């Protein structure tokens, strides 16, 4: 379970998060939507301890991670699988070594079992047969899927997806939606999904939260979001240029 | 106004010194913690050691030659013809205590320090360092410790190798090219050059290794803002490491006893 309480984060004068409150229950998929630059990626990085908040608390399974030292924080990362918005593959390693990296550090499987898990994770994202390629030999969408395979390989309890379908063709993107749902159904994974794609939000979300102006301004099931009275939410989910959010 | 500028300069200098110090402290803390990154350590040993050999060979050879040349000129002019054979120990002392460790330090700053900053800096701006952390690898233990250790061990090796080449080239210039008496040259060199002269040069080189790798990793880890930021990190590494080496060298020469 993830509980975010009154979270503040600024970069210099740029106050990105100004009191975010959000709870993601165990086994639930929470989709976070919001404009580009609204701080969604920052929120994810705060959840896993890559950034330190200015104020507020983040509890993972009732453990406040904002008070942990580096060593303890590192232990917590084992629970998380993080898909980076920009994939963040290790460019000096092959695809297989990338996927294996987390297995070697977070688990105690034998080398043979790890090989199997690497192959299985790559198969899950539809990328069998690229094990020995280097990241620079992959297309953008393939990198994203290797990043996903790397994050799910060691079977984390919590998955954080930063725009899993951006840069991926619609058929693959839908396959990834299925994968997100499957991980939830098979292993009870708790997920936070950031996306701009409303169709995929409706498909994977148990609940949707909208981040705007540094706060969560609306939160509810997909149906509740669709029926929201908030004009900002309506403008966003219908993708209108006109409305309360100024585009320029 | 000028005072304000000076004050903020001093402040930022102290701040940066604090940052490097903290990184070095964390590196020491992580030195013996598991898992050890053998593969990266070996790769860095090769990168710093083996791949620096051509550059070190060249610089040490010409350093030795030119030092031999001026020593010859000096003896010839001030003490007189025939006295050049007494230059042997001076050449060997100057090379092994000062010139070779400094040349090695400067060359490795340019070759290896910069590439450490570039490699780690690129990883930083492409979020690979964040990925390391999220996949359970401590970035200090994974990136910094093997590099600092490899530099610590490799610089003395390079320096010893450079000493041999440089001293031989000093001999070559004097005895082979200028016809100085070979027996007297060698006798004097062996009589007056002490093991400590060479050893103190190697100790200096180890310190330079720590300085270069720590500065390179520090600049890489704090790189920000795309390709330009990485470029700035590499330039800064070379400048800062070179300056630190020259300054530290003086104080180390002062602190290390002349003979044991
Ligand atoms: N490391 C950083 N240093 C300074 N500012 C940052 C940093 N990371 C993010 N920001 C700022 O925080 C704000 C939110 O960034 P973030 O990446 O979270 O946006 P986002 O909601 O994920 O947008 P997108 O949908 O385009 O990915 C931006 O204004 C950005 O400039
Ligand atoms: Mg983002």
């Amino acid at each position: 379970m993830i509980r975010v309480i009154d979270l503040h984060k600024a970069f210099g004068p740029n106050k990105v998060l100004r009191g975010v409150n959000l709870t993601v229950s165990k086994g639930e998929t929470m989709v976070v939507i919001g404009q580009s630059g609204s701080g969604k990626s920052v929120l994810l990085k705060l959840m896993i301890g890559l950034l330190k908040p200015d104020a507020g608390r983040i509890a993972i399974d009732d453990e406040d991670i904002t008070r942990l030292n580096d060593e303890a924080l590192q232990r917590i990362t084992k629970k998380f699988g993080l898909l980076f918005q920009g994939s963040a593959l290790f460019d000096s390693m092959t695809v297989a070594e990338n996927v294996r990296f987390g297995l070697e550090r977070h688990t105690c499987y034998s080398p043979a079992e790890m090989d199997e898990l690497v192959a299985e994770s790559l198969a899950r994202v539809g990328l069998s047969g690229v094990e020995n390629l280097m990241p620079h030999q992959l297309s953008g969408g393939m990198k994203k899927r290797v990043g996903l395979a790397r994050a799910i390989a060691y079977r984390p309890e919590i998955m954080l997806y930063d725009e899993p379908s951006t840069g991926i063709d619609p058929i693959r993107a839908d396959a990834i939606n299925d994968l997100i749902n499957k991980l939830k159904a098979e292993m009870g994974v708790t997920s936070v999904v950031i996306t701009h794609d409303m169709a995929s939000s409706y498909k994977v979300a148990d609940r949707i939260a909208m981040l705007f102006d540094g706060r969560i301004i609306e939160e509810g099931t997909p149906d509740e979001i669709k029926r929201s009275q908030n004009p900002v939410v309506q403008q966003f989910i219908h993708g209108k240029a006109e409305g309360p959010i100024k585009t320029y | 106004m000028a005072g304000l500028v000076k004050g903020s300069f001093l402040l930022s200098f102290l701040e940066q010194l604090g940052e490097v110090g903290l990184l070095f402290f964390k590196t020491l803390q992580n030195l013996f913690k598991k898992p050890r990154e053998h593969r990266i350590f070996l790769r860095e040993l090769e990168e710093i050691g083996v791949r620096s050999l051509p550059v070190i060979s060249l610089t040490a050879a010409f350093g030795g030659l030119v030092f031999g040349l001026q020593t010859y000129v000096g003896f010839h002019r001030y003490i007189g013809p025939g006295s050049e054979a007494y230059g042997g120990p001076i050449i060997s002392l100057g090379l092994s205590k000062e010139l070779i460790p400094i040349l090695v330090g400067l060359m490795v700053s340019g070759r290896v320090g910069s590439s450490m900053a570039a490699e780690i800096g690129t990883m930083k701006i492409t979020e690979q360092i964040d990925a390391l952390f999220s996949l359970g690898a401590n970035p200090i233990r994974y990136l910094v410790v093997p590099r600092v250790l490899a530099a610590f061990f490799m610089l003395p090796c390079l320096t010893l190798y450079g000493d041999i080449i440089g001293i031989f080239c000093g001999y070559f210039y004097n005895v082979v090219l200028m016809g100085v008496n070979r027996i007297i040259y060698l006798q004097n060199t062996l009589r007056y050059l002490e093991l400590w002269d060479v050893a103190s040069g190697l100790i200096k080189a180890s310190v330079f290794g720590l300085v270069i790798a720590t500065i390179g990793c520090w600049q890489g880890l704090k790189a920000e803002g795309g390709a330009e930021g990485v470029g700035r990190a590499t330039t800064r590494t070379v400048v800062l490491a070179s300056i630190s080496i020259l300054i530290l060298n003086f104080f180390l020469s002062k602190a290390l006893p002349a003979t044991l």
Side-chain angles (χ1 to χ4, degrees):
Chain A
M1 190 187 68
I2 308 171
R3 282 222 325 267
V4 175
I5 302 152
D6 196 28
L7 197 65
H8 290 255
K9 178 71 188 175
F11 296 99
N14 180 8
K15 294 199 179 90
V16 180
L17 301 181
R18 296 188 257 178
V20 170
N21 287 289
L22 191 66
T23 302
V24 187
S25 317
K26 205 165 178 57
E28 180 185 50
T29 300
M30 170 70 79
V31 168
V32 177
I33 57 175
Q35 282 175 283
S36 192
S38 57
K40 305 182 296 298
S41 300
V42 169
L43 180 61
L44 275 202
K45 286 188 181 168
L46 284 160
M47 284 179 180
I48 189 175
L50 281 170
L51 292 172
K52 297 245 176 283
D54 301 333
R57 284 191 296 135
I58 301 163
I60 306 298
D61 298 336
D62 292 324
E63 188 170 7
D64 183 357
I65 64 161
T66 55
R67 280 149 207 242
L68 296 180
N69 62 16
D70 287 357
E71 209 71 28
L73 214 53
Q74 192 99 58
R75 189 170 39 76
I76 295 280
T77 60
K78 189 174 172 169
K79 294 186 181 179
F80 285 100
L82 171 57
L83 169 61
F84 287 84
Q85 188 169 1
S87 308
L89 299 183
F90 302 123
D91 47 25
S92 59
M93 298 181 202
T94 64
V95 166
E97 285 167 344
N98 263 284
V99 178
R100 214 184 153 92
F101 197 90
L103 283 167
E104 280 170 353
R105 277 144 228 280
H106 281 324
T107 70
C108 309
Y109 292 111
S110 72
E113 286 168 325
M114 285 191 198
D115 287 340
E116 227 166 84
L117 282 167
V118 169
E120 183 201 303
S121 308
L122 283 169
R124 272 180 178 253
V125 297
L127 272 180
S128 298
V130 301
E131 281 86 349
N132 295 318
L133 295 184
M134 298 302 285
H136 72 262
Q137 294 171 302
L138 304 177
S139 76
M142 287 165 91
K143 281 185 197 155
K144 197 87 186 219
R145 286 185 283 149
V146 173
L148 184 53
R150 184 174 72 177
I152 63 172
Y154 51 93
R155 308 205 162 140
E157 299 161 33
I158 303 172
M159 277 298 302
L160 307 176
Y161 304 88
D162 199 341
E163 306 199 8
S165 52
T166 305
I168 295 185
D169 70 71
I171 299 165
R172 290 279 182 211
D174 197 48
I176 287 181
N177 292 337
D178 289 340
L179 178 61
I180 294 174
N181 285 333
K182 213 158 128 195
L183 290 175
K184 181 172 85 169
E186 284 174 10
M187 297 187 256
V189 173
T190 309
S191 313
V192 179
V193 184
I194 289 176
T195 184
H196 290 295
D197 176 357
M198 290 317 296
S200 91
S201 318
Y202 297 144
K203 184 159 179 180
V204 300
D206 292 315
R207 286 188 301 142
I208 298 178
M210 175 151 179
L211 187 61
F212 181 74
D213 218 11
R215 291 187 189 84
I216 300 291
I217 54 159
E218 191 78 89
E219 187 192 329
T221 63
D223 280 332
E224 286 166 0
I225 290 290
K226 282 181 211 169
R227 280 185 275 116
S228 165
Q229 299 295 312
N230 191 323
V232 172
V233 176
Q234 283 302 326
Q235 184 192 354
F236 189 88
I237 64 176
H238 292 114
K240 297 256 170 52
E242 278 127 55
I245 305 175
K246 298 282 175 281
T247 45
Y248 53 84
Chain B
M1 190 65 206
L4 203 70
V5 172
K6 238 186 238 164
S8 69
F9 175 80
L10 185 71
L11 217 64
S12 93
F13 174 77
L14 289 178
E15 190 186 324
Q16 307 223 354
L17 204 65
E19 278 178 27
V20 197
L22 187 65
L23 178 64
F24 188 65
F25 177 71
K26 282 189 184 166
T27 308
L28 292 181
Q29 263 186 335
N30 280 288
L31 212 49
F32 300 109
K33 290 196 182 148
K34 292 185 175 174
R36 304 229 174 90
E37 303 295 342
H38 298 283
R39 246 191 340 186
I40 301 183
F41 178 63
L42 290 177
R43 202 193 71 189
E44 288 301 319
L45 280 184
E46 187 191 341
E47 178 63 33
I48 300 172
V50 182
R51 289 182 201 273
S52 296
L53 285 180
V55 190
I56 300 298
S57 306
L58 264 176
T59 46
F62 282 93
L65 283 174
V66 82
F67 209 61
L69 184 155
Q70 299 299 7
T71 311
Y72 179 91
V73 172
F75 271 94
H76 189 82
R77 193 184 297 166
Y78 298 119
I79 304 188
S83 70
E84 301 93 346
Y86 295 94
I90 295 182
I91 295 171
S92 310
L93 185 85
L95 286 174
S96 61
K97 270 195 144 161
E98 303 293 343
L99 193 61
I100 300 292
I102 286 192
L103 279 178
V104 168
L106 294 181
M107 286 301 135
V108 173
S109 303
R111 251 200 91 254
V112 182
S114 60
S115 88
M116 284 179 186
E119 192 180 343
I120 296 180
T122 307
M123 290 183 75
K124 169 81 187 304
I125 61 166
T126 54
E127 296 184 315
Q128 290 179 56
I129 310 258
D130 287 347
L132 278 179
F133 177 85
S134 78
L135 293 167
N138 178 326
I140 306 262
R141 210 171 302 162
Y142 186 82
L143 295 171
V144 184
V145 168
R147 284 174 169 81
V148 170
L149 270 184
F152 178 77
F153 287 121
M154 249 349 186
L155 262 82
C157 298
L158 287 173
T159 302
L160 188 62
Y161 169 80
D163 285 347
I164 293 169
I165 301 235
I167 290 174
F168 174 77
C169 285
Y171 165 87
F172 179 82
Y173 181 84
N174 279 276
V175 173
V176 179
L177 292 184
M178 305 308 290
V180 167
N181 187 310
R182 184 168 64 96
I183 309 284
I184 301 180
Y185 187 96
L186 285 178
Q187 266 180 353
N188 277 319
T189 306
L190 291 176
R191 186 179 306 156
Y192 294 111
L193 184 71
E194 290 171 17
L195 193 62
W196 172 246
D197 296 331
V198 177
S200 65
L202 303 187
I203 292 175
K204 279 190 193 174
S206 280
V207 176
F208 297 164
L210 294 181
V211 169
I212 295 168
T214 308
I215 291 183
C217 294
W218 165 58
Q219 282 293 329
L221 285 174
K222 67 180 249 167
E224 240 165 28
E228 200 189 323
V230 176
R232 222 175 303 128
T234 55
T235 319
R236 278 207 194 126
T237 299
V238 177
V239 173
L240 287 176
S242 307
I243 294 175
S244 314
I245 283 172
L246 289 172
I247 295 177
L248 262 176
N249 180 59
F250 171 77
F251 288 105
L252 284 171
S253 293
K254 197 90 179 119
L256 290 167
T259 51
L260 262 196

